[in-house]
Amino acid sequence: MRGLSDEQRRAALAATDDRCLAIVEGAAGAGKTTMLKVVVDCYTSAGTNKADSKTVVSKANPKTVLGCATAWRTVEMIRAELGIDGYAVDSLLARINAGQHILDRNTVLLVDECGQIGSRSMNALIGAAARAQSKVVFVGDRKQLQPISAGPALKIISSVVEPTRVDKIVRQREKWAQDAARAFAKGKAATGLKAYAEKRLLTGCAGAQATIRAAVDCYMDAQHRAPGKPHLLIAKSNKTVRALNAEIRSRMRDSGLLTGPDHVVTAGDASGRSFRLQLAAGDKIRFGIRQDRIGSGVINGTVGRVDKIDVLDNQHLLIRAQVQGKTIEFSTEALKDKAGRVRLSHDLAVTAYSSQGLTAETATVVLGAEYDRHESYVACSRARGETAIFYDQALLAAQTRGQRQIQNWR
């Protein structure tokens, strides 16, 4: 286990001991992925250092390690960084319920960002693993974003199985950024924002449109400076994400990255709100609903790129796209929810919730007073390098005045 800190080494030992369930909890950017690489290697190939007598993995008993997370983006990162196969939680449970043989006594299931999993899904995962006699390693952080569905599952199981914590932040290269992330984690937003202001990375803008344009300028400049590295553009709400996407698409259109006409469909987001979605050849898209009839199947969070669009009738489009390295075709009718809205969106900017579990070279954050401590902590802890924060001065001032008025009325 060379190259690991003492905290990471303790976590790796906990993840590879003889217990059927282990929990590794840690701060955003604390090197959990680095630790998990060692865990995967221990289980799948080289065994472990014989000096680590507490660890029971051996060369004679290799395991199959599978990754799992709520968000497809996180699953893709697990696959890329750990070199293992992975599933979104809903997809994995659906496959198991359909009778597919995925888990057995030689399987280790790594469940990343488990703090986002609700109690029902968590119970189903544990039950499936118990029936198959598989080991489960939960990896997450109660200080980051909580599950949308009911029940703080990580908090519940942590009261039964003591987590092994990894707290030393190593993601950010600069110490001041590590300190700022810790401040956000503790709910000390003013301290964190002051650190960014002192580095001239906190910018107030004159109005919503100016904020959107400035954030996109910064995001696209970061992509230009480091084109081979990942960059994130983060906002709190789906509405702000759509505004950012519209600005990016306008620039993509001007640059010739989008071709052909814009086709408009009535789409729906995860909050149940309807919006007009423009689609053209060249668009990066994200599916918001599971649909097994499309190619080899897509789930909520699967991403792709549009190659061609044909009009089927006055309501539906036939879209040809590249998804997971394959060419697929689908009708927008196949992606409608119960309200008749197409569950499709652009894959450009992301919400703070969707960004959890992701690591990027840079992050550009559109901040507002609606952020809570969990969201601000997650958004401002994604980047190894620079995180730039933009906010609407007028909106923030109005929200502050409103809060003061409410306090005076009490």
Side-chain angles (χ1 to χ4, degrees):
M1 297 190 183
R2 294 178 181 176
L4 298 185
S5 68
D6 289 342
E7 282 186 332
Q8 291 171 323
R9 184 174 177 274
R10 286 194 295 271
L13 288 171
T16 54
D17 66 17
D18 58 357
R19 294 178 299 171
C20 62
L21 190 152
I23 304 173
V24 176
E25 217 183 346
K32 295 188 291 292
T33 301
T34 300
M35 178 272 301
L36 288 175
K37 289 179 181 178
V38 174
V39 171
V40 170
D41 183 62
C42 288
Y43 276 118
T44 60
S45 58
T48 60
N49 188 326
K50 293 182 179 179
D52 298 324
S53 57
K54 295 180 181 180
T55 308
V56 299
V57 182
S58 70
K59 295 180 182 180
N61 186 31
K63 303 283 187 179
T64 297
V65 183
L66 296 176
C68 183
T70 57
W72 185 251
R73 283 175 177 264
T74 307
V75 175
E76 286 296 310
M77 185 166 288
I78 290 171
R79 286 174 168 175
E81 295 190 351
L82 299 183
I84 60 176
D85 200 3
Y87 302 89
V89 171
D90 290 344
S91 176
L92 176 62
L93 291 175
R95 290 167 186 263
I96 291 173
N97 291 335
Q100 292 188 28
H101 182 76
I102 297 177
L103 304 179
D104 58 33
R105 64 187 306 165
N106 286 317
T107 304
V108 177
L109 184 63
L110 299 182
V111 186
D112 200 11
E113 302 301 338
C114 65
Q116 291 184 315
I117 302 176
S119 56
R120 289 184 179 179
S121 294
M122 184 75 82
N123 183 62
L125 282 174
I126 293 175
R131 289 189 297 273
Q133 298 182 5
S134 302
K135 174 157 185 172
V136 182
V137 179
F138 288 113
V139 184
D141 184 7
R142 281 170 285 178
K143 294 181 181 179
Q144 295 188 54
L145 290 167
Q146 306 303 297
I148 294 176
S149 54
L154 179 56
K155 181 178 180 180
I156 294 171
I157 63 172
S158 294
S159 65
V160 179
V161 178
E162 184 177 358
T164 302
R165 287 204 58 87
V166 184
D167 286 313
K168 184 179 179 181
I169 297 175
V170 295
R171 176 182 292 152
Q172 290 86 1
R173 299 188 186 101
E174 302 287 340
K175 184 179 183 302
W176 73 265
Q178 296 174 4
D179 293 340
R182 279 188 281 267
F184 283 119
K186 295 176 181 178
K188 299 178 180 179
T191 301
L193 291 174
K194 181 181 178 182
Y196 279 92
E198 290 174 348
K199 296 294 181 179
R200 298 184 179 180
L201 292 172
L202 178 64
T203 304
C205 303
Q209 285 299 321
T211 305
I212 295 297
R213 286 194 295 268
V216 172
D217 283 342
C218 180
Y219 170 66
M220 298 188 78
D221 180 63
Q223 290 181 315
H224 178 73
R225 287 186 282 112
K229 295 183 178 180
H231 305 272
L232 287 172
L233 178 57
I234 304 170
K236 154 68 176 176
S237 68
N238 286 308
K239 182 179 179 180
T240 305
V241 164
R242 288 195 288 271
L244 292 165
N245 288 343
E247 179 67 22
I248 295 172
R249 287 190 80 252
S250 175
R251 301 184 191 198
M252 291 174 67
R253 177 69 76 178
D254 291 342
S255 301
L257 297 176
L258 300 181
T259 58
D262 276 337
H263 301 273
V264 181
V265 296
T266 299
D269 62 25
S271 300
R273 297 183 179 88
S274 300
F275 63 97
R276 285 166 54 86
L277 177 68
Q278 294 184 324
L279 293 170
D283 262 321
K284 295 179 180 180
I285 55 173
R286 184 191 304 177
F287 295 85
I289 194 171
R290 180 186 178 89
Q291 179 51 268
D292 293 324
R293 297 196 304 272
I294 295 177
S296 58
V298 301
I299 62 170
N300 182 11
T302 300
V303 298
R305 181 184 180 276
V306 176
D307 286 340
K308 183 182 178 183
I309 300 177
D310 292 317
V311 179
L312 290 176
D313 50 45
N314 292 331
Q315 292 182 324
H316 308 123
L317 303 174
L318 179 65
I319 298 176
R320 187 178 72 192
Q322 297 295 318
V323 175
Q324 299 178 25
K326 299 178 180 180
T327 300
I328 65 170
E329 282 192 343
F330 62 93
S331 167
T332 51
E333 183 177 17
L335 295 174
K336 286 187 175 181
D337 60 18
K338 293 180 180 179
R341 297 168 298 206
V342 178
R343 294 301 305 277
L344 200 64
S345 63
H346 295 121
D347 182 42
L348 297 167
V350 297
T351 61
Y353 188 90
S354 296
S355 74
Q356 181 163 319
L358 302 181
T359 299
E361 176 62 23
T362 71
T364 304
V365 179
V366 177
L367 194 64
E370 73 275 17
Y371 274 75
D372 63 22
R373 62 180 294 181
H374 302 292
E375 292 156 340
S376 59
Y377 173 38
V378 168
C380 296
S381 61
R382 297 302 94 200
R384 295 187 179 94
E386 185 175 281
T387 296
I389 303 173
F390 295 85
Y391 66 95
D392 179 353
Q393 291 174 313
L395 179 61
L396 201 61
Q399 289 172 328
T400 301
R401 287 195 299 271
Q403 290 172 354
R404 289 174 179 173
Q405 290 174 351
I406 291 173
Q407 290 174 352
N408 291 335
W409 292 339
R410 290 175 178 174

